[in-house]
Amino acid sequence: MELDYSSNGIVRLLETPVRDRSLSWLKTALQQAVMLELATLPPYLCGWWSLDDDSESGQAVSAAIREIIFDEMSHLGHVCNLLTTIGGSPRIGDPGVVAPYPCPLPGGIKPKINEDLKVYLGGLTTDSVEMYSQIEAPEEPLARFAAAAGDAGDAETFPSIGRFYTAIQEAFRQHQGEIKGTRQITRNMEGHGQGNSLFAIRTLADAEAAITIIKEQGEGTDKTPDNTFPGHKGELSHYYVFREIFKGHKLVKVQEDPPKWDFTGAKIPLPKARPMGKVPLGGWATDKTTAPKDPEVKAALTAFNQSFSDMLRSLEKAWQMDTQEAADPHLREAIRVHMRALETPASTLMTKPLPNDPQHTYGPEFLFVPPKA
């Protein structure tokens, strides 16, 4: 299977008639889902690492974004288990999987609220938080964006993340006999939320549970904005957390029947953040005005990209193993060695001003590089 982040692979999959969605279709869809889950992590991490606010409200925003990042990591794990249980093998350590920021979401995914969404790497700002919320946006939010006239009657179908996972769920029902429980990785992550622990996918009920977690942690449901698999009481789904930060106010229920929510609660100040600039396509070196000359910047970029790429390769190896015991060393290496090695170079980069724009700094590129010789 050829991997191409920039293709309209998800759109083509959704255009396939339901009766023609074979086991091969399901495996291809889940590989696209791997690409999709990986695409959201770098922008969220850049925003989180850029935070520089020790106030109570700043710490609360930092904690909320951190929990979302852990949710997204577990979503990637759930998708990998969904793929291996039907005989597939996730490709993670592959340049075709890594997003070429700035770029749209993979596979032709287009949030209804912004068809032209471009996902980029930069520090936490009002604009970046709006981008995060657009990534997570349900097709029909309970507390909407400011909508243009006529939006409510728009009959056009948009390939949203939620719609894509619904199609995957339906395909599992069609091919439930193919669920074998092979190459499953389990991991206790209850400290980050009820749905974050990785569990084995051995039945249709397991598959549906994993897909429900992915959908509802991101978008909420059509009845509540709450994260139905929370890390703490009252935790909202990702979309509404990001909208609270963007709007600068807590989401509160303003009407019971029919239920209605609005961002009119307590004030949420936008946290102070280090002013990481937007990474150009292909990395800082591709633009002569931002190409680094400082040896410390070059070293930090090299170290970050190497650790990021090694982490992806270790994750791919983990899901190639036949047993949990064989997978564990690769999973530990990915998390305890490579993932933990990312924050120091990221923080260093965010202290280094851009040569063409000293008001902004460098930041991580998330470029995929070959293993060290």
Side-chain angles (χ1 to χ4, degrees):
M1 174 176 51
E2 188 68 27
L3 294 180
D4 180 4
Y5 182 99
S6 302
S7 76
N8 283 333
I10 292 175
V11 172
R12 292 198 301 271
L13 287 164
L14 291 174
E15 289 174 347
T16 303
V18 173
R19 65 179 181 277
D20 295 333
R21 294 177 181 177
S22 62
L23 179 62
S24 175
W25 182 98
L26 183 53
K27 289 179 180 178
T28 301
L30 287 165
Q31 179 60 59
Q32 290 285 324
V34 167
M35 205 179 304
L36 181 59
E37 296 301 335
L38 277 175
T40 65
L41 280 164
Y44 298 171
L45 282 166
C46 285
W48 183 51
W49 283 328
S50 76
L51 290 174
D52 189 22
D53 192 333
D54 290 330
S55 69
E56 184 177 348
S57 61
Q59 291 296 311
V61 169
S62 176
I65 295 176
R66 181 176 182 270
E67 287 308 305
I68 288 173
I69 289 167
F70 274 98
D71 288 350
E72 296 297 341
M73 290 177 181
S74 70
H75 295 177
L76 175 62
H78 287 314
V79 169
C80 290
N81 276 346
L82 287 164
L83 181 51
T84 55
T85 199
I86 57 170
S89 186
R91 290 170 63 182
I92 306 172
D94 188 299
V97 171
V98 178
Y101 305 104
C103 58
L105 289 169
I109 286 284
K110 293 181 179 180
K112 182 176 181 179
I113 200 66
N114 182 7
E115 289 185 78
D116 300 317
L117 175 65
K118 281 286 183 74
V119 180
Y120 62 85
L121 303 179
L124 190 110
T125 63
T126 302
D127 287 346
S128 66
V129 174
E130 182 171 36
M131 172 187 69
Y132 305 158
S133 69
Q134 290 176 346
I135 290 171
E136 302 281 358
E139 293 188 51
E140 296 297 336
L142 296 172
R144 292 189 58 80
F145 290 80
D151 275 358
D154 187 356
E156 184 174 0
T157 300
F158 289 77
S160 70
I161 294 174
R163 182 172 167 239
F164 177 49
Y165 275 110
T166 296
I168 289 173
Q169 188 170 23
E170 291 168 349
F172 263 102
R173 292 169 184 163
Q174 186 175 342
H175 299 289
Q176 57 185 286
E178 301 295 338
I179 299 172
K180 308 298 184 185
T182 49
R183 286 183 286 137
Q184 297 296 288
I185 292 179
T186 61
R187 186 175 178 83
N188 187 341
M189 295 174 63
E190 285 184 2
H192 298 288
Q194 295 175 18
N196 284 18
S197 292
L198 296 185
F199 52 85
I201 310 295
R202 304 193 189 284
T203 66
L204 176 61
D206 294 333
E208 294 198 328
I211 294 167
T212 299
I213 289 167
I214 294 169
K215 289 176 61 177
E216 294 187 3
Q217 280 189 330
E219 299 184 352
T221 72
D222 59 358
K223 294 180 176 62
T224 176
D226 291 342
N227 180 345
T228 53
F229 302 93
H232 60 82
K233 186 177 180 181
E235 182 179 340
L236 298 176
S237 62
H238 303 174
Y239 165 74
Y240 297 100
V241 171
F242 288 137
R243 289 311 284 179
E244 282 190 331
I245 302 169
F246 174 74
K247 291 284 191 179
H249 287 275
K250 297 288 288 182
L251 179 68
V252 294
K253 199 170 193 178
V254 295
Q255 183 175 297
E256 289 292 338
D257 190 17
K260 184 178 179 182
W261 291 262
D262 203 354
F263 299 95
T264 57
K267 189 172 182 180
I268 302 175
L270 188 70
K272 296 175 185 176
R274 290 176 286 189
M276 176 185 163
K278 294 182 182 179
V279 180
L281 180 64
W284 298 109
T286 60
D287 185 332
K288 64 181 181 181
T289 67
T290 61
K293 297 179 181 178
D294 181 340
E296 193 174 0
V297 172
K298 291 181 178 179
L301 289 170
T302 297
F304 186 95
N305 291 331
Q306 192 67 64
S307 293
F308 169 63
S309 303
D310 289 344
M311 178 187 72
L312 298 185
R313 282 187 279 267
S314 292
L315 289 173
E316 181 170 308
K317 287 179 183 176
W319 265 279
Q320 290 174 345
M321 299 296 108
D322 289 331
T323 66
Q324 178 84 41
E325 291 72 23
D328 277 343
H330 300 291
L331 195 62
R332 284 196 297 269
E333 183 179 50
I335 296 169
R336 298 181 184 177
V337 178
H338 304 311
M339 188 183 300
R340 289 181 181 177
L342 296 177
E343 189 167 359
T344 296
S347 296
T348 298
L349 290 165
M350 291 185 190
T351 66
K352 300 293 185 179
L354 293 172
N356 66 325
D357 180 11
Q359 298 302 310
H360 290 91
T361 72
Y362 285 101
E365 303 169 305
F366 287 91
L367 297 179
F368 189 83
V369 297
K372 284 184 178 179

